[in-house]
Amino acid sequence: MISALSVVAAALVAATTATTPAGATQDEIRAYWTPEAMAEAVAASEDPHPDGVSWTYGTESVRNVGRLFMEIPDGKKATCTAAVVEAANRSVITTAAHCVHLKAVGGWMKKLLFVPAYDKGASPYGSYVAKSVAIAPAWSAREDHKADFAFVTLGPDEQGRSVQNVTGGRPASFAPVPGEKTALGYPFVKPYDGETLQYCSGPTTPVNDQRLVGGEQLKPCRMTNGASGGPWYARTAEGKDVQVGVTSARPKEPGLENVAWGAMFDETARELHRHAEQLK
């Protein structure tokens, strides 16, 4: 196991990139993402995602969850969901790998901006520009959905604060946690508009499909594009809420319209997290 993990860690260098393009400052990226630009953003993937219901339990408990805005290589604006996860540098979010790198649209996304607790255009906890992105070689090379997770290191907000110091974060679990899961996201495609947080909650079962071996599915759950990358939370036997994965893609085939697929954190995710939290 140690040697296998060493190979993964060594490969991360090639699978990590600075997402702030040369010549663009954090202030310039924030200026790019005007309210009008955010309203133009479309989902980063054409794949539909597993109808949620609006989150009505108050924003304080989920203020670490927000929208992730990006520009795809052809210049179009896009959006996914992301969440702050506890990290040593207090500056790491999780999302889906396909929200930051997707071969079908030309590779790496640009101008990534995270807005925690986004709600109808409001940014109550500021905004944070991505400094670097860590994805697994299994995703960058062959888009293996088992590795459809990314760990993004953020710069400070407009006041120089680290995101975790402002919003808090939940710890990640890199081992299976049995029981019910809660998936959160900002679905964009009708009947949603991406302006408010939605969620699904209930028991999960293993995904019995070769395209996401090792993943879990939540049914019924039907959130549309834009929910990609949203966190999946579970409660441990000790009563601690932890993040165990992110919303991934799923096929469009009949019979899967009411199912959410999640890429679960594993040892590869642990190494990505470790890499991301060491960055300054």
Side-chain angles (χ1 to χ4, degrees), residues 1 14-15 129 142 163 183 203 236:
M1 180 61 72
V129 177
R142 59 183 182 276
V163 66
T236 67

Side-chain angles (χ1 to χ4, degrees), residues 110-241:
K110 305 174 183 178
K111 300 178 182 176
L112 272 67
L113 183 76
F114 177 62
V115 182
Y118 177 97
D119 187 72
K120 300 176 183 176
S123 306
Y125 301 105
S127 62
Y128 304 80
V129 177
K131 296 174 63 177
S132 67
V133 176
I135 60 174
W139 180 263
S140 58
R142 59 183 182 276
E143 296 191 345
D144 181 350
H145 281 279
K146 184 180 179 181
D148 190 13
F149 38 66
F151 290 79
V152 181
T153 305
L154 303 175
D157 69 358
E158 300 91 328
Q159 301 177 49
R161 301 173 298 179
S162 298
V163 66
Q164 190 179 323
N165 289 341
V166 178
T167 68
R170 284 191 172 85
S173 174
F174 303 103
V177 178
E180 294 191 353
K181 309 289 193 302
T182 297
L184 295 143
Y186 286 86
F188 178 86
V189 177
K190 292 181 179 180
Y192 309 106
D193 59 8
E195 293 298 302
T196 56
L197 186 64
Q198 310 289 318
Y199 82 102
C200 299
S201 187
T204 62
T205 57
V207 174
N208 295 316
D209 189 296
Q210 289 301 310
R211 288 164 289 195
L212 191 58
V213 174
E216 294 186 16
Q217 59 186 10
L218 181 57
K219 183 178 182 180
C221 183
R222 189 177 176 80
M223 291 193 283
T224 60
N225 301 41
S228 294
W232 285 40
Y233 293 122
R235 182 159 292 177
T236 67
E238 296 75 29
K240 189 174 186 178
D241 291 326

Side-chain angles (χ1 to χ4, degrees), residues 44 90 153 248 261 265:
R90 307 185 70 80
T153 305
S248 180
W261 277 12
F265 293 160

Side-chain angles (χ1 to χ4, degrees), residues 62-69 79-84 93-95 113-119 184-186 197 226 228-231 233:
V62 291
R63 64 182 183 178
N64 65 305
V65 182
R67 289 184 80 179
L68 181 65
F69 295 91
T79 180
C80 280
T81 303
V84 181
I93 58 171
T94 62
T95 190
L113 183 76
F114 177 62
V115 182
Y118 177 97
D119 187 72
L184 295 143
Y186 286 86
L197 186 64
S228 294
Y233 293 122

Side-chain angles (χ1 to χ4, degrees), residues 69-91:
F69 295 91
M70 71 285 296
E71 182 184 80
I72 63 178
D74 67 2
K76 292 180 181 177
K77 301 174 182 67
T79 180
C80 280
T81 303
V84 181
V85 64
E86 289 185 358
N89 62 8
R90 307 185 70 80
S91 299

